[in-house]
Amino acid sequence: MAALDKLTTTVSTKGQVILPKAVRQALRWHAGTRLVVESTADGVLLKPEPAFAATRPEDVFGCLAGDVSPRPLADMEAGILEEARRRHACC
């Protein structure tokens, strides 16, 4: 993207900035793309907004908790084998 480093734009009276088409195409930013704006020592950094909120393991541990005890691995493998045979049974 070295050729795109020297492009310029102007801030409008409403504070809007138009990103040059070459930049939008290179980054695949289409109309409606939400951007995170960060102030840095060198200026402003624009990044696409993450599709999902950040989560930590402790936020999701136990989200599928229930009163069912875990099945042994042998039972799970037997169930997978049974389903595979059912799906691929000859006529």
Side-chain angles (χ1 to χ4, degrees):
M1 199 160 101
L4 301 178
D5 290 342
K6 299 294 181 181
L7 300 174
T8 61
T9 189
T10 304
V11 177
S12 75
T13 58
K14 293 182 178 182
Q16 298 168 329
V17 175
I18 296 175
L19 298 174
K21 185 176 183 178
V23 172
R24 295 190 318 265
Q25 286 178 334
L27 297 171
R28 294 188 179 118
W29 288 353
H30 306 289
T33 299
R34 295 184 55 84
L35 302 173
V36 175
V37 181
E38 292 182 15
S39 181
T40 70
D42 291 326
V44 175
L45 172 65
L46 298 175
K47 300 188 297 187
E49 184 177 62
F52 302 99
T55 56
R56 300 170 301 164
E58 55 269 20
D59 295 336
V60 295
F61 282 159
C63 67
L64 299 177
D67 56 357
V68 178
S69 60
R71 302 288 302 263
L73 182 58
D75 287 356
M76 290 188 281
E77 289 175 342
I80 292 168
L81 182 59
E82 180 182 328
E83 181 62 16
R85 284 182 178 148
R86 185 189 70 76
R87 290 186 184 193
H88 300 287
C90 186
C91 308

